[in-house]
Amino acid sequence: MTVTRRHVLKSAAALAVLPTLARSEPHVMTARAGAQLIAPPGFPETRVWGFDGRVPGPAIRVKQGRRLSRRLRNELQQATSVHWHGVRIDNAMDGVPGLTQHAVSTGQEFDYEFALRDAGTYWYHAHNRSVEQVARGLYGPLIVEEPEAPDVDQDLTLMLDDWRLDPETAQIAEDFDNGHDLSHAGRLGNLVTVNGSFDPVFPVKRHERVRLRLINASNARIYDLGLDGLVGWIVALDGMPLTDPIAIEGTFPLAPAQRADLMVDVVAEAGGTASLVSRERDGAFGLVRLRIAGQASSAPRAGVQPLPPNPLPEIPDLDGIPRHRMTLEGGAMRWLDSARLGDVELSGRELAQLGRFWALNGYAERPDDPFLDATIGSRHRIAFVNETAFPHAMHLHGHHFRLILPDGSLGPWRDTVLIERGETREIAMVTDNPGNWLLHCHMLGHAASGMMSWFRVT
Ligand code: C2O
Ligand code: CU
């Protein structure tokens, strides 16, 4: 009797304790210094900052609809935070110091825990002093898997970055606040890497279908990407599936923070090499090599299926949606006459002395009042009017939006829109996620030198 009873109690206790233990065991990601080979072989290792000391940080894969939890531990000599770029997240988990949380100081921790409603390709990166911290390597991929994986032979994440390294020592040039970069195109590097390596090689077979998840983690570089030895389609942009995949002919742009999911078929001959190519002024360069070892089948797969849609809000048409305007001003060649810091109006020259070169609707830093005060569930149109002499990649937190195409129809869902110099791009969105959300240029030097605003959803 006694034995049985004790046994029962023990089991019950064990049952009660085990799941709690399992749940309270946090997954830790540590922001810390590390060293790895970034430059071509023969160069020394580069000292980086990375999540778990690596660049990119650990690849996080979660099934759609599940929750993700990570405990950030900061072992850097600088405060940091993590932003989960492109995730329609709970505001408190958005990782923006001064708006949604305090920056996590050296030796401190912060627990992130949130649901992933949408499948697709996202990424995470530091959001404190991003112009330095992202350039040093504090980023990684976040992949949210469809409940049923699409039919592919391989699923490859390719995270693009460009580094400014000293050509002798291969160490990161520490001129993050260089006024010339801030006031021009931003911090452009002298070495482009994929997944933290120069010109990496991946094995494939002829006629394989490969899903390529491209993520641009560069501070400022806009890539113009193409395929060599591959044919394929763009099936998702900024994580969100396209209803009609786009066949790739020629090149397509990928601005900082943007993602593109491709389905590609390997068509080059066995024994050869296929590549993802970056077209630049002085030619086309391979970014990765897909080395073709053998043949998977006698012919490539035919056609492509769209990915299953995500549960995005509806925008049936544009009738009666209020219009807002955000003017992008400043930078080299169009210098600011004046702009505001809080309540104070300063001249362009005074602002330049403070390292501020750009303004959004007349403010050269995040204003006290939001650019837009929106009710939950309301629809809005925002026109980004680029009066500067440079392109910008405007990113909204916590929401995706639809591009309004020149003919007035609704284009793809995105979270970051590239606006060329002199151009106006309009977007439509439903403000369906409550909280305080940042809106900024993802050329991180531009954000640091004035291109920062926010909107509120209540
Ligand atoms: Cu990836 Cu505030 O951004
Ligand atoms: Cu910009």
Side-chain angles (χ1 to χ4, degrees), residues 131-378:
V131 64
E132 171 175 359
Q133 295 192 358
V134 174
R136 289 190 185 274
L138 285 163
Y139 61 76
L142 169 57
I143 307 302
V144 186
E145 296 172 340
E146 294 84 10
E148 255 179 76
D151 171 34
V152 295
D153 299 301
Q154 294 199 52
D155 183 336
L156 278 182
T157 303
L158 303 177
M159 227 170 166
L160 280 49
D161 193 5
D162 74 331
W163 301 75
R164 185 178 295 178
L165 301 184
D166 179 305
E168 302 283 303
T169 64
Q171 299 312 307
I172 296 172
E174 297 186 338
D175 56 343
F176 306 105
D177 298 303
N178 165 340
H180 181 275
D181 291 343
L182 296 182
S183 61
H184 289 72
R187 180 185 173 89
L188 298 171
N190 52 7
L191 179 81
V192 175
T193 61
V194 173
N195 299 349
S197 312
F198 174 72
D199 196 20
V201 181
F202 299 91
V204 296
K205 291 197 172 74
R206 184 160 196 244
H207 295 157
E208 266 187 351
R209 173 159 291 180
V210 185
R211 180 178 189 164
L212 296 179
R213 302 173 182 266
L214 311 180
I215 307 173
N216 184 357
S218 311
N219 267 43
R221 182 176 293 274
I222 304 165
Y223 296 88
D224 199 15
L225 299 172
L227 304 175
D228 181 40
L230 305 167
V231 295
W233 297 263
I234 301 175
V235 293
L237 290 170
D238 294 350
M240 297 303 170
L242 300 175
T243 22
D244 297 308
I246 302 167
I248 299 168
E249 289 154 17
T251 56
F252 61 93
L254 197 69
Q258 290 186 329
R259 287 88 65 215
D261 282 51
L262 315 184
M263 291 290 182
V264 300
D265 291 333
V266 180
V267 293
E269 296 294 328
T273 299
S275 339
L276 175 71
V277 168
S278 164
R279 195 183 65 189
E280 282 154 45
R281 241 176 259 165
D282 46 343
F285 299 91
L287 296 179
V288 291
R289 276 178 289 162
L290 305 179
R291 190 169 286 152
I292 304 154
Q295 179 151 322
S297 61
S298 56
R301 287 187 184 55
V304 73
Q305 290 298 114
L307 296 169
N310 281 323
L312 287 156
E314 302 268 333
I315 307 179
D317 56 52
L318 295 172
D319 289 349
I321 302 186
R323 304 175 79 153
H324 313 278
R325 178 189 164 102
M326 174 160 277
T327 308
L328 288 56
E329 294 171 281
M333 294 177 275
R334 303 281 164 84
W335 306 102
L336 290 173
D337 285 331
S338 67
R340 294 168 69 162
L341 295 182
D343 292 334
V344 194
E345 183 96 20
L346 296 175
S347 72
R349 178 184 306 228
E350 289 167 317
L351 288 164
Q353 277 160 4
L354 298 170
R356 299 296 165 82
F357 300 100
W358 309 90
L360 294 178
N361 279 1
Y363 284 92
E365 68 180 11
R366 177 159 54 86
D368 294 336
D369 293 326
F371 150 72
L372 170 67
D373 216 336
T375 345
I376 187 140
S378 56

Side-chain angles (χ1 to χ4, degrees), residues 47-61:
R47 287 187 301 276
V48 297
W49 293 358
F51 292 105
D52 293 348
R54 301 288 307 161
V55 184
I60 301 178
R61 289 190 89 98

